[in-house]
Amino acid sequence: MCKLPKLESWLQHQQSDLLRTLVRGAGAALSVQIFSAGTIYISQVLLARWLGVTEYGIYDYAIALSLSLAFLAGLGLSTAVLRFIPKYQFEQDWRHLRGIIWGSWQQTLIASLITAILSTVVLQWLSRDYGLEHSRSLIFGVWSVPLIALANLQQQIARAFHKITLAYAPYLIAYPLVLIGITFVWQLHQNLTSTVAIALSMLSILLVLIIQALLFYRGLTTEISHANPAYAIAQWWKVALPLMFLDGSSIVLSQTDTLMLGTMLGAQAVGIYSAALKTSLWVHFILTAVNAIFAPIIASLHAQGDRLGLQQLVSTIARWMFYPALAIAIGLIVFANPVLRLFGMEFTAAKGALIVLILGQLVNVGAGSVGYLLMMTGNQMPAASVMGISALANVVLNLIGIHWLGIFGAALATAFCMMLWNVWLHAIVVKRLDVRPSILATFR
């Protein structure tokens, strides 16, 4: 019996160390997230004001299409490298390590170029035979697919090498700043259109991608840079393709509303809705920041079999995330009109959609880090199934909602599906891990 207090003291010490690590890591991640979220948001506000509601809608529609295609063109390799690079580093398998770096680049580049070519052919056919609107801007957009796919891949490669600043700063901070700068200079001298904005966005990504790649490859050790590359393509693809399904489901969930609005109601509806969608993301950025450091701690506690420690940790995280998110949500709802007017007077029509999306994001934050809890504990297959079903439901509900209620219907469908997969994943976490990560559990 005398050992019990010592055991409790040790557990408390372990929890204290974990929480201190979480505080430091989350603080740094939160600082980056706040700065990057502000920079990205300002870039979108400025683009909306410089372009006007319709041209901004065309721009956002083209970007949503290119983001969706880029994830498909990535073939899941951007996620697979996170699994294989640490493994090869641990084994000091320099040949395969160099092989997956160069091989993933080559395969992603080839797949994304093929995707861009096929998409161009399809868009030209739709334009010629079915009178597709804004086909020129959309074609311009699909040629950003190789750049976006390579940027996604390079970000995850740098992250796998624990170069966190090099992974995130170029695209979360440098890219929007470069885009603001060159777009500002352009619109001072010439008229800014959606096609020009897309071209300037591509130029910004290209500049950032080149600089990041040069910095990354200069930092490689001699063992890696001089190794004769070895390729385990079959093994990589065996892991990458299922991950592509999970990534694809996430993209469908995040881009369906924008793409279907553009198809069914046109560019102006996309422009108005996009202001609400991008504003609602302020509610969940704390969840993103905390998850950046939370994932490895989940895996560590689960590997130790420390269910009590994991429960205490997720309860602490739930409180850290939810109350600031609730304050932001209330502020955005109260000041919805002034915030939307930052984009332009026309965008205040999205107030109802904004409120609905904010409520969906509150459920997202309130449910806790359910996705990471499953993926970091070997339960990724149930998570993939839920995401796939939710993505399909999102398409169907957006089709119905947009037809009857326009942008408000798109917001209802998107918010409902967000709530659906969060509640569903929460139930799976409780059943499989016996852990309750939601904010409601903290009241017990």
Side-chain angles (χ1 to χ4, degrees):
M1 295 296 292
C2 64
K3 293 183 179 179
L4 185 57
K6 293 182 179 179
L7 177 60
E8 291 176 348
S9 175
W10 180 82
L11 285 172
Q12 290 173 358
H13 176 70
Q14 291 293 100
Q15 285 301 308
S16 178
D17 286 344
L18 281 173
L19 289 174
R20 278 197 295 269
T21 301
L22 190 60
V23 169
R24 289 194 300 267
L30 185 60
S31 299
V32 173
Q33 286 289 330
I34 291 173
F35 187 78
S36 64
T39 307
I40 293 170
Y41 191 73
I42 290 170
S43 71
Q44 295 303 306
V45 168
L46 292 174
L47 281 172
R49 297 189 73 89
W50 291 335
L51 287 168
V53 63
T54 301
E55 287 293 308
Y56 177 67
I58 298 170
Y59 167 84
D60 208 60
Y61 184 38
I63 294 298
L65 178 61
S66 62
L67 286 172
S68 303
L69 294 173
F71 268 89
L72 294 175
L75 303 173
L77 290 169
S78 61
T79 308
V81 294
L82 287 172
R83 183 173 300 183
F84 285 106
I85 286 177
K87 174 179 180 291
Y88 294 146
Q89 284 180 308
F90 176 76
E91 297 170 350
Q92 296 187 353
D93 187 352
W94 311 126
R95 296 183 65 227
H96 278 102
L97 183 54
R98 189 179 180 199
I100 196 170
I101 294 172
W102 293 109
S104 59
W105 258 78
Q106 293 164 5
Q107 293 171 60
T108 300
L109 179 60
I110 292 170
S112 58
L113 287 173
I114 292 172
T115 301
I117 293 169
L118 292 176
S119 300
T120 300
V121 172
V122 171
L123 288 170
Q124 288 180 332
W125 168 65
L126 291 173
S127 177
R128 183 184 66 248
D129 293 355
Y130 295 94
L132 176 68
E133 293 183 333
H134 320 302
S135 58
R136 182 183 176 189
S137 295
L138 295 178
I139 290 172
F140 243 87
V142 299
W143 279 99
S144 66
V145 167
L147 295 173
I148 296 172
L150 290 173
N152 289 334
L153 175 65
Q154 184 59 46
Q155 182 182 64
Q156 299 308 317
I157 290 176
R159 184 181 171 197
F161 276 88
H162 305 292
K163 299 178 182 290
I164 304 302
T165 301
L166 187 61
Y168 290 110
Y171 304 108
L172 294 180
I173 298 175
Y175 163 68
L177 288 175
V178 172
L179 179 59
I180 290 172
I182 61 177
T183 306
F184 175 73
V185 172
W186 180 280
Q187 64 88 32
L188 285 178
H189 300 91
Q190 297 189 52
N191 184 41
L192 185 65
T193 65
S194 57
T195 304
V196 172
I198 293 167
L200 295 177
S201 177
M202 292 169 63
L203 177 60
S204 302
I205 295 175
L206 178 61
L207 291 173
V208 170
L209 180 64
I210 291 172
I211 293 171
Q212 185 200 37
L214 289 174
L215 291 173
F216 173 77
Y217 289 112
R218 282 180 58 187
L220 288 178
T221 62
T222 304
E223 293 92 342
I224 301 173
S225 59
H226 287 79
N228 186 26
Y231 302 96
I233 296 177
Q235 184 183 11
W236 299 339
W237 279 51
K238 184 178 179 180
V239 172
L241 291 179
L243 292 173
M244 183 178 71
F245 173 77
L246 188 58
D247 287 342
S249 299
S250 299
I251 278 295
V252 169
L253 284 167
S254 63
Q255 303 296 339
T256 293
D257 42 6
T258 300
L259 292 174
M260 294 188 70
L261 273 170
T263 302
M264 297 175 67
L265 298 183
Q268 185 174 4
V270 172
I272 293 172
Y273 179 80
S274 292
L277 182 62
K278 289 176 172 60
T279 301
S280 71
L281 296 179
W282 279 104
V283 176
H284 96 300
F285 82 94
I286 296 176
L287 172 65
T288 304
V290 172
N291 279 342
I293 192 67
F294 189 31
I297 300 179
I298 294 174
S300 176
L301 288 171
H302 179 70
Q304 297 171 32
D306 189 357
R307 191 202 66 79
L308 178 60
L310 186 57
Q311 177 63 68
Q312 291 176 342
L313 195 62
V314 297
S315 296
T316 301
I317 293 300
R319 288 189 291 269
W320 286 1
M321 293 188 302
F322 184 76
Y323 295 121
L326 179 62
I328 293 170
I330 292 172
L332 289 175
I333 291 173
V334 171
F335 298 102
N337 281 328
V339 171
L340 289 172
R341 274 200 296 268
L342 293 173
F343 291 83
M345 287 301 298
E346 305 97 323
F347 293 90
T348 55
K351 180 180 178 179
L354 174 60
I355 293 173
V356 170
L357 291 169
I358 286 172
L359 295 177
Q361 290 292 355
L362 268 181
V363 174
N364 183 22
V365 176
S369 302
V370 287
Y372 273 104
L373 276 165
L374 292 174
M375 286 188 288
M376 293 296 107
T377 57
N379 292 285
Q380 63 272 10
M381 291 309 295
S385 299
V386 170
M387 296 292 281
I389 295 170
S390 299
L392 180 61
N394 198 24
V395 173
V396 175
L397 291 177
N398 265 282
L399 183 65
I400 297 171
I402 293 171
H403 177 74
W404 288 102
L405 298 171
I407 63 171
F408 187 74
L412 283 173
T414 300
F416 175 81
C417 289
M418 193 185 307
M419 296 176 186
L420 171 66
W421 70 261
N422 272 286
V423 172
W424 196 346
L425 290 183
H426 184 275
I428 296 174
V429 167
V430 172
K431 181 179 180 181
R432 295 206 170 202
L433 303 179
D434 194 21
V435 168
R436 288 163 175 77
S438 75
I439 186 63
L440 296 178
T442 66
F443 298 131
R444 297 182 178 180

